[in-house]
Amino acid sequence: MLISPLADRNQKELCSVLCDVLEEQSHRELFALELGSGTGQHVVNFAMAMPFITWQPSDIKEESRDSIRAYIAATKVKTVLQPVHLDASEPWEKWAGLPRGACDVIVAINLLQYSSFQTVEGVVKGSGQILRQNGLLITHGPYAINGTITPSCLEDLDQELREMNPGWGLPDIDVLRQLAFGNGMRMERMIEMEQYNKCLVFRKR
């Protein structure tokens, strides 16, 4: 079981936001895909807080998938499926065999800033296909807005990410909004979070 201090710090706040966003649908059973599940800490906590959702965790790294399996076993949650390998930069047809319109919710937490533009584009394009009508794509992390990054600590983070990998960096909300619109979704909410992060909620039209 891997431990992410960041996941530990923000999971309560994230759970609260997701519960709020999804409360209107809590009367029915939902199916959610988490992209880049990482250690598995988030998905088991989400499952305990929102028992009306069946969660499909995914990650590109085998060590992360092993950790997710360990969290599922340790917490004995019944609504988290075994993790699958999923590379969001690939066409949606390769997304672990999920059919078009399979998901009510797709979640990507602290993923986009560690992704190339090809992967960011893949997340949005794939979500546009995998989500059912009125389904939600929910992303969390730090963002640029219309080419501007504030405050200075986020500028420093963006620089650090680009030094680690030139393709990484804070995604721009306006670019995401346009990408979403071109893939049958519209940005519905922007929720301010701790540490200058935001949750973006996109709805499939």
PDB file of all heavy atoms in Angstrom, residues 87-92 94-95 112 114-126 167-168 175 179:
ATOM      1  N   ASP A  87      -4.264   4.035 -20.495  1.00  0.00           N
ATOM      2  CA  ASP A  87      -3.438   5.158 -20.935  1.00  0.00           C
ATOM      3  C   ASP A  87      -4.374   6.156 -21.612  1.00  0.00           C
ATOM      4  O   ASP A  87      -4.853   5.928 -22.713  1.00  0.00           O
ATOM      5  CB  ASP A  87      -2.358   4.668 -21.912  1.00  0.00           C
ATOM      6  CG  ASP A  87      -1.447   5.777 -22.401  1.00  0.00           C
ATOM      7  OD1 ASP A  87      -1.759   6.963 -22.141  1.00  0.00           O
ATOM      8  OD2 ASP A  87      -0.430   5.470 -23.043  1.00  0.00           O
ATOM      9  N   ALA A  88      -4.636   7.269 -20.929  1.00  0.00           N
ATOM     10  CA  ALA A  88      -5.628   8.234 -21.419  1.00  0.00           C
ATOM     11  C   ALA A  88      -5.198   8.941 -22.698  1.00  0.00           C
ATOM     12  O   ALA A  88      -6.027   9.576 -23.357  1.00  0.00           O
ATOM     13  CB  ALA A  88      -5.941   9.260 -20.334  1.00  0.00           C
ATOM     14  N   SER A  89      -3.921   8.827 -23.057  1.00  0.00           N
ATOM     15  CA  SER A  89      -3.478   9.454 -24.309  1.00  0.00           C
ATOM     16  C   SER A  89      -3.909   8.635 -25.520  1.00  0.00           C
ATOM     17  O   SER A  89      -3.869   9.110 -26.656  1.00  0.00           O
ATOM     18  CB  SER A  89      -1.956   9.629 -24.324  1.00  0.00           C
ATOM     19  OG  SER A  89      -1.303   8.375 -24.415  1.00  0.00           O
ATOM     20  N   GLU A  90      -4.332   7.389 -25.278  1.00  0.00           N
ATOM     21  CA  GLU A  90      -4.765   6.520 -26.381  1.00  0.00           C
ATOM     22  C   GLU A  90      -6.227   6.776 -26.732  1.00  0.00           C
ATOM     23  O   GLU A  90      -6.981   7.313 -25.917  1.00  0.00           O
ATOM     24  CB  GLU A  90      -4.578   5.046 -25.986  1.00  0.00           C
ATOM     25  CG  GLU A  90      -3.110   4.656 -25.820  1.00  0.00           C
ATOM     26  CD  GLU A  90      -2.939   3.164 -25.663  1.00  0.00           C
ATOM     27  OE1 GLU A  90      -3.803   2.518 -25.030  1.00  0.00           O
ATOM     28  OE2 GLU A  90      -1.934   2.645 -26.181  1.00  0.00           O
ATOM     29  N   PRO A  91      -6.647   6.394 -27.934  1.00  0.00           N
ATOM     30  CA  PRO A  91      -8.067   6.555 -28.307  1.00  0.00           C
ATOM     31  C   PRO A  91      -8.981   5.832 -27.318  1.00  0.00           C
ATOM     32  O   PRO A  91      -8.596   4.818 -26.732  1.00  0.00           O
ATOM     33  CB  PRO A  91      -8.139   5.911 -29.699  1.00  0.00           C
ATOM     34  CG  PRO A  91      -6.743   5.931 -30.221  1.00  0.00           C
ATOM     35  CD  PRO A  91      -5.847   5.792 -29.023  1.00  0.00           C
ATOM     36  N   TRP A  92     -10.195   6.347 -27.153  1.00  0.00           N
ATOM     37  CA  TRP A  92     -11.117   5.815 -26.146  1.00  0.00           C
ATOM     38  C   TRP A  92     -11.420   4.332 -26.355  1.00  0.00           C
ATOM     39  O   TRP A  92     -11.732   3.619 -25.397  1.00  0.00           O
ATOM     40  CB  TRP A  92     -12.412   6.627 -26.127  1.00  0.00           C
ATOM     41  CG  TRP A  92     -13.303   6.408 -27.325  1.00  0.00           C
ATOM     42  CD1 TRP A  92     -13.264   7.080 -28.510  1.00  0.00           C
ATOM     43  CD2 TRP A  92     -14.348   5.441 -27.456  1.00  0.00           C
ATOM     44  NE1 TRP A  92     -14.214   6.593 -29.372  1.00  0.00           N
ATOM     45  CE2 TRP A  92     -14.897   5.592 -28.748  1.00  0.00           C
ATOM     46  CE3 TRP A  92     -14.875   4.459 -26.600  1.00  0.00           C
ATOM     47  CZ2 TRP A  92     -15.943   4.800 -29.210  1.00  0.00           C
ATOM     48  CZ3 TRP A  92     -15.918   3.667 -27.056  1.00  0.00           C
ATOM     49  CH2 TRP A  92     -16.438   3.837 -28.335  1.00  0.00           C
ATOM     50  N   LYS A  94      -9.477   2.086 -26.688  1.00  0.00           N
ATOM     51  CA  LYS A  94      -8.482   1.295 -25.947  1.00  0.00           C
ATOM     52  C   LYS A  94      -8.573   1.515 -24.437  1.00  0.00           C
ATOM     53  O   LYS A  94      -7.714   1.081 -23.687  1.00  0.00           O
ATOM     54  CB  LYS A  94      -7.073   1.650 -26.437  1.00  0.00           C
ATOM     55  CG  LYS A  94      -6.813   1.258 -27.884  1.00  0.00           C
ATOM     56  CD  LYS A  94      -5.369   1.514 -28.261  1.00  0.00           C
ATOM     57  CE  LYS A  94      -5.102   1.079 -29.710  1.00  0.00           C
ATOM     58  NZ  LYS A  94      -3.695   1.330 -30.097  1.00  0.00           N
ATOM     59  N   TRP A  95      -9.621   2.209 -23.991  1.00  0.00           N
ATOM     60  CA  TRP A  95      -9.788   2.486 -22.565  1.00  0.00           C
ATOM     61  C   TRP A  95     -10.367   1.269 -21.837  1.00  0.00           C
ATOM     62  O   TRP A  95     -11.528   1.239 -21.448  1.00  0.00           O
ATOM     63  CB  TRP A  95     -10.685   3.699 -22.363  1.00  0.00           C
ATOM     64  CG  TRP A  95      -9.986   5.022 -22.576  1.00  0.00           C
ATOM     65  CD1 TRP A  95      -8.887   5.271 -23.340  1.00  0.00           C
ATOM     66  CD2 TRP A  95     -10.363   6.287 -22.021  1.00  0.00           C
ATOM     67  NE1 TRP A  95      -8.557   6.588 -23.313  1.00  0.00           N
ATOM     68  CE2 TRP A  95      -9.439   7.251 -22.508  1.00  0.00           C
ATOM     69  CE3 TRP A  95     -11.393   6.706 -21.180  1.00  0.00           C
ATOM     70  CZ2 TRP A  95      -9.512   8.598 -22.161  1.00  0.00           C
ATOM     71  CZ3 TRP A  95     -11.466   8.050 -20.847  1.00  0.00           C
ATOM     72  CH2 TRP A  95     -10.532   8.978 -21.322  1.00  0.00           C
ATOM     73  N   LEU A 112      -3.772  16.118 -14.633  1.00  0.00           N
ATOM     74  CA  LEU A 112      -3.536  16.880 -15.865  1.00  0.00           C
ATOM     75  C   LEU A 112      -2.221  17.653 -15.850  1.00  0.00           C
ATOM     76  O   LEU A 112      -1.573  17.784 -16.888  1.00  0.00           O
ATOM     77  CB  LEU A 112      -4.704  17.829 -16.138  1.00  0.00           C
ATOM     78  CG  LEU A 112      -6.086  17.171 -16.305  1.00  0.00           C
ATOM     79  CD1 LEU A 112      -7.116  18.205 -16.688  1.00  0.00           C
ATOM     80  CD2 LEU A 112      -6.047  16.035 -17.322  1.00  0.00           C
ATOM     81  N   TYR A 114       0.495  16.711 -14.681  1.00  0.00           N
ATOM     82  CA  TYR A 114       1.575  15.740 -14.918  1.00  0.00           C
ATOM     83  C   TYR A 114       1.419  15.045 -16.265  1.00  0.00           C
ATOM     84  O   TYR A 114       1.941  13.953 -16.466  1.00  0.00           O
ATOM     85  CB  TYR A 114       1.598  14.682 -13.802  1.00  0.00           C
ATOM     86  CG  TYR A 114       1.921  15.242 -12.441  1.00  0.00           C
ATOM     87  CD1 TYR A 114       0.915  15.446 -11.499  1.00  0.00           C
ATOM     88  CD2 TYR A 114       3.229  15.580 -12.095  1.00  0.00           C
ATOM     89  CE1 TYR A 114       1.193  15.969 -10.246  1.00  0.00           C
ATOM     90  CE2 TYR A 114       3.517  16.103 -10.839  1.00  0.00           C
ATOM     91  CZ  TYR A 114       2.501  16.286  -9.926  1.00  0.00           C
ATOM     92  OH  TYR A 114       2.791  16.809  -8.676  1.00  0.00           O
ATOM     93  N   SER A 115       0.677  15.674 -17.158  1.00  0.00           N
ATOM     94  CA  SER A 115       0.350  15.042 -18.435  1.00  0.00           C
ATOM     95  C   SER A 115       0.797  15.905 -19.612  1.00  0.00           C
ATOM     96  O   SER A 115       0.794  17.131 -19.523  1.00  0.00           O
ATOM     97  CB  SER A 115      -1.167  14.827 -18.544  1.00  0.00           C
ATOM     98  OG  SER A 115      -1.633  14.008 -17.503  1.00  0.00           O
ATOM     99  N   SER A 116       1.133  15.237 -20.707  1.00  0.00           N
ATOM    100  CA  SER A 116       1.392  15.949 -21.955  1.00  0.00           C
ATOM    101  C   SER A 116       0.072  16.478 -22.499  1.00  0.00           C
ATOM    102  O   SER A 116      -1.008  16.024 -22.093  1.00  0.00           O
ATOM    103  CB  SER A 116       2.000  14.986 -22.983  1.00  0.00           C
ATOM    104  OG  SER A 116       1.039  13.990 -23.324  1.00  0.00           O
ATOM    105  N   PHE A 117       0.144  17.404 -23.441  1.00  0.00           N
ATOM    106  CA  PHE A 117      -1.096  17.924 -24.037  1.00  0.00           C
ATOM    107  C   PHE A 117      -1.854  16.800 -24.738  1.00  0.00           C
ATOM    108  O   PHE A 117      -3.084  16.780 -24.746  1.00  0.00           O
ATOM    109  CB  PHE A 117      -0.818  19.069 -25.014  1.00  0.00           C
ATOM    110  CG  PHE A 117      -2.080  19.675 -25.554  1.00  0.00           C
ATOM    111  CD1 PHE A 117      -2.890  20.464 -24.744  1.00  0.00           C
ATOM    112  CD2 PHE A 117      -2.499  19.422 -26.853  1.00  0.00           C
ATOM    113  CE1 PHE A 117      -4.085  21.002 -25.225  1.00  0.00           C
ATOM    114  CE2 PHE A 117      -3.682  19.958 -27.337  1.00  0.00           C
ATOM    115  CZ  PHE A 117      -4.467  20.756 -26.526  1.00  0.00           C
ATOM    116  N   GLN A 118      -1.111  15.845 -25.299  1.00  0.00           N
ATOM    117  CA  GLN A 118      -1.759  14.699 -25.959  1.00  0.00           C
ATOM    118  C   GLN A 118      -2.627  13.930 -24.963  1.00  0.00           C
ATOM    119  O   GLN A 118      -3.739  13.502 -25.285  1.00  0.00           O
ATOM    120  CB  GLN A 118      -0.691  13.766 -26.557  1.00  0.00           C
ATOM    121  CG  GLN A 118      -1.286  12.564 -27.286  1.00  0.00           C
ATOM    122  CD  GLN A 118      -0.231  11.546 -27.727  1.00  0.00           C
ATOM    123  OE1 GLN A 118       0.970  11.790 -27.591  1.00  0.00           O
ATOM    124  NE2 GLN A 118      -0.663  10.426 -28.237  1.00  0.00           N
ATOM    125  N   THR A 119      -2.122  13.769 -23.730  1.00  0.00           N
ATOM    126  CA  THR A 119      -2.890  13.065 -22.703  1.00  0.00           C
ATOM    127  C   THR A 119      -4.080  13.898 -22.241  1.00  0.00           C
ATOM    128  O   THR A 119      -5.189  13.379 -22.074  1.00  0.00           O
ATOM    129  CB  THR A 119      -1.991  12.691 -21.514  1.00  0.00           C
ATOM    130  OG1 THR A 119      -0.950  11.833 -21.968  1.00  0.00           O
ATOM    131  CG2 THR A 119      -2.778  11.973 -20.421  1.00  0.00           C
ATOM    132  N   VAL A 120      -3.865  15.213 -22.034  1.00  0.00           N
ATOM    133  CA  VAL A 120      -4.962  16.104 -21.637  1.00  0.00           C
ATOM    134  C   VAL A 120      -6.080  16.041 -22.688  1.00  0.00           C
ATOM    135  O   VAL A 120      -7.264  15.900 -22.361  1.00  0.00           O
ATOM    136  CB  VAL A 120      -4.459  17.559 -21.476  1.00  0.00           C
ATOM    137  CG1 VAL A 120      -5.628  18.514 -21.260  1.00  0.00           C
ATOM    138  CG2 VAL A 120      -3.477  17.646 -20.312  1.00  0.00           C
ATOM    139  N   GLU A 121      -5.670  16.122 -23.946  1.00  0.00           N
ATOM    140  CA  GLU A 121      -6.628  16.029 -25.050  1.00  0.00           C
ATOM    141  C   GLU A 121      -7.324  14.668 -25.041  1.00  0.00           C
ATOM    142  O   GLU A 121      -8.536  14.572 -25.244  1.00  0.00           O
ATOM    143  CB  GLU A 121      -5.871  16.228 -26.365  1.00  0.00           C
ATOM    144  CG  GLU A 121      -6.718  16.664 -27.522  1.00  0.00           C
ATOM    145  CD  GLU A 121      -5.884  17.017 -28.744  1.00  0.00           C
ATOM    146  OE1 GLU A 121      -4.770  16.459 -28.908  1.00  0.00           O
ATOM    147  OE2 GLU A 121      -6.342  17.843 -29.538  1.00  0.00           O
ATOM    148  N   GLY A 122      -6.558  13.623 -24.761  1.00  0.00           N
ATOM    149  CA  GLY A 122      -7.116  12.271 -24.701  1.00  0.00           C
ATOM    150  C   GLY A 122      -8.145  12.120 -23.598  1.00  0.00           C
ATOM    151  O   GLY A 122      -9.183  11.467 -23.792  1.00  0.00           O
ATOM    152  N   VAL A 123      -7.876  12.728 -22.436  1.00  0.00           N
ATOM    153  CA  VAL A 123      -8.822  12.680 -21.312  1.00  0.00           C
ATOM    154  C   VAL A 123     -10.160  13.291 -21.731  1.00  0.00           C
ATOM    155  O   VAL A 123     -11.227  12.714 -21.496  1.00  0.00           O
ATOM    156  CB  VAL A 123      -8.253  13.434 -20.083  1.00  0.00           C
ATOM    157  CG1 VAL A 123      -9.349  13.678 -19.033  1.00  0.00           C
ATOM    158  CG2 VAL A 123      -7.095  12.652 -19.462  1.00  0.00           C
ATOM    159  N   VAL A 124     -10.098  14.448 -22.382  1.00  0.00           N
ATOM    160  CA  VAL A 124     -11.335  15.148 -22.759  1.00  0.00           C
ATOM    161  C   VAL A 124     -12.051  14.420 -23.899  1.00  0.00           C
ATOM    162  O   VAL A 124     -13.269  14.206 -23.844  1.00  0.00           O
ATOM    163  CB  VAL A 124     -11.041  16.614 -23.137  1.00  0.00           C
ATOM    164  CG1 VAL A 124     -12.318  17.321 -23.572  1.00  0.00           C
ATOM    165  CG2 VAL A 124     -10.406  17.349 -21.958  1.00  0.00           C
ATOM    166  N   LYS A 125     -11.291  14.028 -24.922  1.00  0.00           N
ATOM    167  CA  LYS A 125     -11.916  13.311 -26.051  1.00  0.00           C
ATOM    168  C   LYS A 125     -12.522  11.988 -25.596  1.00  0.00           C
ATOM    169  O   LYS A 125     -13.652  11.646 -25.964  1.00  0.00           O
ATOM    170  CB  LYS A 125     -10.865  13.051 -27.140  1.00  0.00           C
ATOM    171  CG  LYS A 125     -10.538  14.265 -27.980  1.00  0.00           C
ATOM    172  CD  LYS A 125      -9.574  13.882 -29.106  1.00  0.00           C
ATOM    173  CE  LYS A 125      -9.360  15.044 -30.062  1.00  0.00           C
ATOM    174  NZ  LYS A 125      -8.433  14.702 -31.148  1.00  0.00           N
ATOM    175  N   GLY A 126     -11.757  11.230 -24.798  1.00  0.00           N
ATOM    176  CA  GLY A 126     -12.249   9.944 -24.310  1.00  0.00           C
ATOM    177  C   GLY A 126     -13.480  10.099 -23.440  1.00  0.00           C
ATOM    178  O   GLY A 126     -14.451   9.350 -23.570  1.00  0.00           O
ATOM    179  N   GLY A 167       6.844  18.465 -21.362  1.00  0.00           N
ATOM    180  CA  GLY A 167       5.445  18.340 -21.783  1.00  0.00           C
ATOM    181  C   GLY A 167       4.449  18.582 -20.666  1.00  0.00           C
ATOM    182  O   GLY A 167       3.244  18.698 -20.908  1.00  0.00           O
ATOM    183  N   TRP A 168       4.932  18.628 -19.407  1.00  0.00           N
ATOM    184  CA  TRP A 168       4.034  18.827 -18.265  1.00  0.00           C
ATOM    185  C   TRP A 168       3.798  20.315 -18.021  1.00  0.00           C
ATOM    186  O   TRP A 168       4.361  21.161 -18.681  1.00  0.00           O
ATOM    187  CB  TRP A 168       4.637  18.189 -17.016  1.00  0.00           C
ATOM    188  CG  TRP A 168       4.695  16.691 -17.047  1.00  0.00           C
ATOM    189  CD1 TRP A 168       4.217  15.869 -18.027  1.00  0.00           C
ATOM    190  CD2 TRP A 168       5.274  15.837 -16.056  1.00  0.00           C
ATOM    191  NE1 TRP A 168       4.453  14.548 -17.697  1.00  0.00           N
ATOM    192  CE2 TRP A 168       5.102  14.503 -16.490  1.00  0.00           C
ATOM    193  CE3 TRP A 168       5.916  16.067 -14.833  1.00  0.00           C
ATOM    194  CZ2 TRP A 168       5.550  13.407 -15.751  1.00  0.00           C
ATOM    195  CZ3 TRP A 168       6.368  14.982 -14.091  1.00  0.00           C
ATOM    196  CH2 TRP A 168       6.184  13.667 -14.546  1.00  0.00           C
ATOM    197  N   VAL A 175      -8.477  26.565 -22.392  1.00  0.00           N
ATOM    198  CA  VAL A 175      -8.193  25.508 -23.379  1.00  0.00           C
ATOM    199  C   VAL A 175      -9.051  24.284 -23.088  1.00  0.00           C
ATOM    200  O   VAL A 175      -9.639  23.680 -23.997  1.00  0.00           O
ATOM    201  CB  VAL A 175      -6.687  25.151 -23.368  1.00  0.00           C
ATOM    202  CG1 VAL A 175      -6.413  23.930 -24.237  1.00  0.00           C
ATOM    203  CG2 VAL A 175      -5.850  26.337 -23.827  1.00  0.00           C
ATOM    204  N   LEU A 179     -11.789  22.553 -25.496  1.00  0.00           N
ATOM    205  CA  LEU A 179     -11.673  21.126 -25.814  1.00  0.00           C
ATOM    206  C   LEU A 179     -12.961  20.398 -25.454  1.00  0.00           C
ATOM    207  O   LEU A 179     -13.457  19.566 -26.221  1.00  0.00           O
ATOM    208  CB  LEU A 179     -10.514  20.498 -25.030  1.00  0.00           C
ATOM    209  CG  LEU A 179      -9.125  20.480 -25.636  1.00  0.00           C
ATOM    210  CD1 LEU A 179      -8.127  19.911 -24.625  1.00  0.00           C
ATOM    211  CD2 LEU A 179      -9.088  19.659 -26.918  1.00  0.00           C
TER     212      LEU A 179
END
